[in-house]
Amino acid sequence: MALRTPLLGLLLLLLAGCAGHSTASTKRSIRALLITGGCCHNYALQTFALTNAVARHARVEWTVISDGGSGTRAEIALYNEPNWAKGFDVVVHNECFADTQSPDYIRRITQVHEAGVPAVAIHCAMHTYRAASIDEWRKFLGVTSRRHDHQSRYPVKKVAPEHPILKGMPEDWVSPKDELYVIEKMWPGATPLATSVSEADGKSYPVAWVNGFGKARVFGTTFGHSDATFQDPVFLEMLSRGFLWAVGSDSLVDRH
């Protein structure tokens, strides 16, 4: 794992690197870029949990960019680089910058994905750039959301039980205490995989889905707020399988 941040620290580098060596494969490693940072979450723990969970399935070389501070408005320097995702097989978006609005900045991100770079979007990525006037980020995600319900433990219903991302997921899974995002719209190309019911309005909202954006596959989940969620084996398995699906499962080694 390569880290371009002092915030996650040497310990995270060593632990996640060791986890990556637990997988044996004759295929080359998947090259994954994780963008993380912003307000409201324990990104060091989330990074550690995610990288170790995926390591159970495939060998991955991670580059982690933790940038932008802990506020709601920032522009990550990497996105200003030409071909910022060149050399990566997948980008994981786990950033949280609701008040960043620049259309040019947002398009520098989405155009790369539309051209074919797969993605995984976690939790607050759905509220990132929510103040923007353009819809490109929402089309990329496959959903529009601007608010969430209170934290609770939400029963999860599989609406696409045969999809490989939900393979082995229990029928009676209840999330750890987490936020339920209110999904205002699903964009064309997005398909819900699992839903939960709001305790506030009684409506059912997607909590996991897949999206086709240009030439790219995108997996998204609105869960991922709490430390407990990133310690939950069912959530981590779903997240790992979403990662594998986005990359293309034919290129991966599944150890199960």
Side-chain angles (χ1 to χ4, degrees), residues 70-159:
S70 58
T72 62
R73 185 189 300 271
E75 293 189 8
I76 294 173
L78 174 70
Y79 293 142
N80 292 321
E81 298 180 10
N83 302 314
W84 60 265
K86 185 176 182 180
F88 292 106
D89 301 306
V90 60
V91 178
V92 179
H93 289 281
N94 194 27
E95 65 260 55
C96 192
F97 299 109
D99 295 321
T100 300
Q101 303 181 43
S102 168
D104 290 341
Y105 171 79
I106 294 168
R107 289 189 179 104
R108 284 198 294 272
I109 307 169
T110 59
Q111 287 170 357
V112 167
H113 290 298
E114 191 170 16
V117 177
V120 174
I122 303 172
H123 189 58
C124 199
M126 265 49 76
H127 285 180
T128 293
Y129 317 134
R130 70 183 176 188
S133 60
I134 63 170
D135 283 326
E136 271 76 357
W137 181 255
R138 298 163 198 133
K139 293 175 183 177
F140 154 67
L141 296 171
V143 300
T144 297
S145 177
R146 293 181 174 87
R147 62 186 179 91
H148 60 75
D149 283 356
H150 58 274
Q151 292 187 49
S152 187
R153 300 192 69 226
Y154 291 98
V156 177
K157 178 183 178 181
K158 295 192 287 186
V159 296

Side-chain angles (χ1 to χ4, degrees), residues 1-252:
M1 173 189 287
L3 288 168
R4 292 196 222 172
T5 170
L7 299 179
L8 296 179
L10 181 59
L11 178 60
L12 178 59
L13 171 62
L14 294 175
L15 290 174
C18 290
H21 290 300
S22 65
T23 341
S25 171
T26 57
K27 299 179 182 290
R28 71 161 177 83
S29 297
I30 300 165
R31 293 165 296 195
L33 173 63
L34 170 59
I35 308 292
T36 186
C39 78
C40 311
H41 307 102
N42 186 349
Y43 292 111
L45 182 148
Q46 293 183 3
T47 297
F48 176 72
L50 169 63
T51 55
N52 277 271
V54 175
R56 297 179 63 246
H57 293 273
R59 184 190 304 158
V60 182
E61 296 177 5
W62 290 94
T63 297
V64 179
I65 304 296
S66 181
D67 196 4
S70 58
T72 62
R73 185 189 300 271
E75 293 189 8
I76 294 173
L78 174 70
Y79 293 142
N80 292 321
E81 298 180 10
N83 302 314
W84 60 265
K86 185 176 182 180
F88 292 106
D89 301 306
V90 60
V91 178
V92 179
H93 289 281
N94 194 27
E95 65 260 55
C96 192
F97 299 109
D99 295 321
T100 300
Q101 303 181 43
S102 168
D104 290 341
Y105 171 79
I106 294 168
R107 289 189 179 104
R108 284 198 294 272
I109 307 169
T110 59
Q111 287 170 357
V112 167
H113 290 298
E114 191 170 16
V117 177
V120 174
I122 303 172
H123 189 58
C124 199
M126 265 49 76
H127 285 180
T128 293
Y129 317 134
R130 70 183 176 188
S133 60
I134 63 170
D135 283 326
E136 271 76 357
W137 181 255
R138 298 163 198 133
K139 293 175 183 177
F140 154 67
L141 296 171
V143 300
T144 297
S145 177
R146 293 181 174 87
R147 62 186 179 91
H148 60 75
D149 283 356
H150 58 274
Q151 292 187 49
S152 187
R153 300 192 69 226
Y154 291 98
V156 177
K157 178 183 178 181
K158 295 192 287 186
V159 296
E162 300 305 315
H163 196 282
I165 292 176
L166 300 188
K167 181 180 179 182
M169 183 175 173
E171 300 292 336
D172 58 350
W173 182 48
V174 178
S175 77
K177 196 170 184 179
D178 211 309
E179 296 170 339
L180 182 66
Y181 276 34
V182 175
I183 304 298
E184 301 173 10
K185 176 179 179 176
M186 294 206 77
W187 290 82
T191 302
L193 301 181
T195 61
S196 290
V197 174
S198 167
E199 296 175 349
D201 63 18
K203 295 180 181 179
S204 182
Y205 295 106
V207 296
W209 63 92
V210 292
N211 187 38
F213 180 67
K215 297 179 180 179
R217 285 181 167 190
V218 180
F219 167 71
T221 176
T222 53
F223 286 143
H225 177 79
S226 68
D227 289 358
T229 299
F230 272 89
Q231 294 165 342
D232 181 81
V234 177
F235 173 77
L236 290 174
E237 181 68 8
M238 182 181 71
L239 193 57
S240 298
R241 289 186 175 275
F243 176 96
L244 306 183
W245 175 87
V247 176
S249 60
D250 58 340
S251 67
L252 305 175

